[in-house]
Amino acid sequence: FFTIFTLRVGNLCILLLLLFYIGAAMAVEMFGMIVCSDDTPCYGLNEFANFRNLGYAMLTLFQVSTGDNWGSILRDILRKPPLCNNDADCIENCCANHHISTMFFAIFVILAQFILLNVVVAVLMKHLTDAMEFQSQERTSIPSSSITGFEEDAADVNEA
């Protein structure tokens, strides 16, 4: 039932899910306290794209991995005081560490794109292999007498 292809793509999908889960857990811890309000407007984060809980963080990281508005999300995360609270005991609207935030997003995007590229390559290789197998089966399934008859008929048509 399961082919080697299915297992390989399944492994890549599980690896991608693990990357998103670990990244979301880290993002909730680092960026979960960022607040968007009238005083501190957000350009990329909103009620559906945020890091307040694990589910929304995974969806937001998926958006980041596809390149959709991730520059604005990073802009919201890299706020500086007075747009965010830089105290050590901050509870709400905390500033994120700029160096760690930038490294987190760069590493996450590179890893996610690498895994997604591997999934695409695996699917393409599977289709190429299937096409080659189908083509070789087509060649062996035609009897040689039919090929000879076709060649003779084609020669007759070309002469006419």
Side-chain angles (χ1 to χ4, degrees), residues 69-80:
N69 201 23
W70 82 283
S72 297
I73 293 172
L74 186 60
R75 179 181 176 186
D76 292 339
I77 288 172
L78 296 179
R79 294 183 195 177
K80 293 181 180 177

Side-chain angles (χ1 to χ4, degrees), residues 99-155:
H99 301 293
I100 293 174
S101 301
T102 306
M103 289 299 293
F104 170 79
F105 275 102
I107 290 171
F108 179 81
V109 167
I110 289 170
L111 287 175
Q113 292 299 321
F114 179 73
I115 294 170
L116 286 171
L117 179 65
N118 276 324
V119 169
V120 169
V121 168
V123 169
L124 288 175
M125 290 300 293
K126 173 62 175 162
H127 286 295
L128 179 63
T129 304
D130 289 347
M132 290 175 65
E133 286 176 6
F134 179 74
Q135 188 177 20
S136 67
Q137 287 174 356
E138 267 189 357
R139 285 186 185 159
T140 58
S141 64
I142 300 173
S144 61
S145 61
S146 297
I147 294 174
T148 306
F150 175 75
E151 289 172 346
E152 292 171 357
D153 292 341

